[in-house]
Amino acid sequence: MTTREFAGPNAGADVRRGVEPGEMRCAGAWTLRGIASLEARLETLSWPTETELSIDCAAITAMDTSGAWLLHRTVRTLEGRDHSVRLQGLRAEFDGLLKLIAARAAEAPAPSPPLPGALARIGRQSWLALLNATGMLSFLGEVAVALLRSLKQPSRIRWKPILHNLQTGGFEALPITGLLSFLLGIVIAYQGAEQLRRFGANIYVADLVGLSMVRELSPMITAIIVAGRSGSAYTAQIGTMKVTEEIDALRTIGIAPLDLLVLPKLLAMVVALPLLTVYTDVMGIFGGMVMARAQLDVSFETFFDRLDDAITLRSYLIGIGKAPVFAAIIALVGCYQGFQTTGSADSVGRQTTTSVVQAIFLVIVTDALFSIVFSWLHL
């Protein structure tokens, strides 16, 4: 019976006919360079019909992992067709590589872990939330220590970064905060105009717009806008610096990242947000005045006269007093999430999103707590 042989197409490879029935001979270099052509050749070969096959590998001059894998796969394929395959003449180093490939192929794939149940998922999320809370608390303590150290030694305070953050986080936020507050005042006055007109209480639109803007809406809306605008910028800046290892470089040259990156942002935000709140108070009330004159025929002079009676100093200070707390939340959350960034651009995006969500959530929760406390204190 005519026998067939196969070999790689590389330099030194050749094809010879076997002498005995059922004999096949491999020759040449079984390496990655010619593995594609060799694999295509094997798929088109007409194999002997004998039950026992002998593969003579003595003429193989070179073999790498790809060649050993192809030879192992060919032997397994023949055995799957009820052939008994025997390898002969394979060099010791090639035989060791072939046995290693066979051992790896014989290893059963690790079973996929079962999907966690609902209780396991709740426990995992609770544990991650606890770790995040403890990390945030630790970061807050470090910032407090750094702040006290800077107050004890005022020469450590970096005024130039503080002024830069005042400009970017405060002055440059005036257009967006003023526009949204103006529109919010218009909406409140418009929604209340119809109801007040029914009872002939047009003048009380000043109470509605003034108290709602000064005491509640202006501080919270301003904080939410700044959290989305400046808080996310803090996270992205620090996260990018961590990815590019600039923070490690700062530590190497003896500059504390908290002193350079966190404290200027915190101090600038604590100063900027109350000023922005005063500005949004004015813009919101002005929007309400415009709508009151258009819908209720309440003149600006009448609106101002009623506003003087509607807004007390206590209500005004309550609204302004919330702003520094909101500012500290925004700055601390933004900086903390920036330091949690790992070494990828995708992580910067995730932490920036987390920063905005957490800051807005904490601002709203804190505002609700303020309302409860003020209600208890009858303020």
Side-chain angles (χ1 to χ4, degrees):
M1 178 178 180
T2 301
T3 62
R4 303 186 182 273
E5 303 158 355
F6 48 92
N10 297 353
D14 59 1
V15 179
R16 302 174 185 174
R17 293 186 180 277
V19 178
E20 302 293 335
E23 181 184 7
M24 307 186 71
R25 292 184 180 179
C26 304
W30 284 52
T31 58
L32 179 62
R33 182 179 178 183
I35 198 71
S37 301
L38 181 58
E39 188 174 9
R41 174 83 178 276
L42 291 174
E43 293 176 353
T44 59
L45 277 177
S46 177
W47 297 93
T49 57
E50 285 81 1
T51 304
E52 295 185 2
L53 298 179
S54 175
I55 300 180
D56 188 359
C57 304
I60 294 180
T61 59
M63 178 179 287
D64 60 7
T65 305
S66 301
W69 172 82
L70 182 59
L71 180 59
H72 170 76
R73 195 188 70 174
T74 303
V75 171
R76 297 282 79 81
T77 301
L78 293 174
E79 291 177 346
R81 299 174 181 174
D82 296 329
H83 290 285
S84 176
V85 182
R86 183 175 68 256
L87 296 179
Q88 294 180 341
L90 190 63
R91 294 184 186 180
E93 60 271 24
F94 300 160
D95 183 61
L97 181 59
L98 184 63
K99 289 180 179 179
L100 179 61
I101 295 296
R104 285 291 186 181
E107 292 180 357
S112 57
L115 295 176
L119 188 60
R121 290 196 298 269
I122 293 174
R124 183 177 302 170
Q125 293 298 324
S126 300
W127 177 249
L128 292 176
L130 179 61
L131 290 179
N132 186 60
T134 54
M136 184 65 187
L137 186 62
S138 175
F139 179 75
L140 178 61
E142 293 177 5
V143 173
V145 171
L147 180 60
L148 292 176
R149 187 168 57 244
S150 297
L151 294 178
K152 185 178 179 181
Q153 301 175 354
S155 59
R156 297 172 58 93
I157 300 177
R158 301 177 181 272
W159 296 104
K160 188 175 181 180
I162 292 177
L163 294 177
H164 173 73
N165 284 284
L166 270 174
Q167 178 182 353
T168 57
F171 180 76
E172 294 180 3
L174 289 176
I176 183 64
T177 54
L179 175 61
L180 292 181
S181 180
F182 176 78
L183 295 176
L184 184 60
I186 290 178
V187 170
I188 293 174
Y190 179 79
Q191 294 295 329
E194 183 63 29
Q195 303 301 324
L196 293 174
R197 186 186 293 112
R198 291 181 180 181
F199 299 98
N202 297 6
I203 189 59
Y204 290 104
V205 69
D207 300 64
L208 176 64
V209 175
L211 278 177
S212 60
M213 291 299 300
V214 168
R215 186 175 176 123
E216 293 294 338
L217 293 181
S218 283
M220 187 171 65
I221 293 300
T222 305
I224 290 175
I225 296 172
V226 172
R229 183 184 178 278
S230 300
S232 60
Y234 295 165
T235 305
Q237 178 191 2
I238 296 176
T240 304
M241 292 180 66
K242 189 173 181 182
V243 169
T244 57
E245 299 182 353
E246 293 180 58
I247 292 179
D248 294 334
L250 290 176
R251 293 192 177 100
T252 302
I253 62 178
I255 298 178
L258 292 181
D259 293 343
L260 181 63
L261 300 176
V262 178
L263 290 184
K265 293 178 174 58
L266 176 62
L267 295 176
M269 186 61 67
V270 169
V271 173
L273 197 60
L275 297 178
L276 285 174
T277 302
V278 174
Y279 172 69
T280 54
D281 286 340
V282 174
M283 294 301 296
I285 292 174
F286 178 66
M289 291 172 56
V290 172
M291 184 54 61
R293 182 169 183 174
Q295 292 289 321
L296 299 175
D297 296 326
V298 177
S299 65
F300 288 172
E301 294 79 6
T302 306
F303 194 99
F304 267 121
D305 290 340
R306 181 59 194 172
L307 198 63
D308 185 50
D309 296 329
I311 300 178
T312 62
L313 180 62
R314 182 176 62 183
S315 299
Y316 179 76
L317 293 179
I318 285 176
I320 298 299
K322 296 177 182 180
V325 180
F326 295 161
I329 291 174
I330 294 168
L332 290 174
V333 171
C335 294
Y336 171 72
Q337 293 300 333
F339 282 108
Q340 300 306 304
T341 304
T342 55
S344 67
D346 181 65
S347 179
V348 176
R350 287 198 308 270
Q351 296 306 130
T352 302
T353 303
T354 303
S355 168
V356 175
V357 173
Q358 285 189 355
I360 293 176
F361 174 77
L362 291 176
V363 164
I364 295 175
V365 170
T366 304
D367 186 69
L369 293 177
F370 272 128
S371 298
I372 295 173
V373 172
F374 292 151
S375 177
W376 285 346
L377 298 177
H378 303 289
L379 295 178

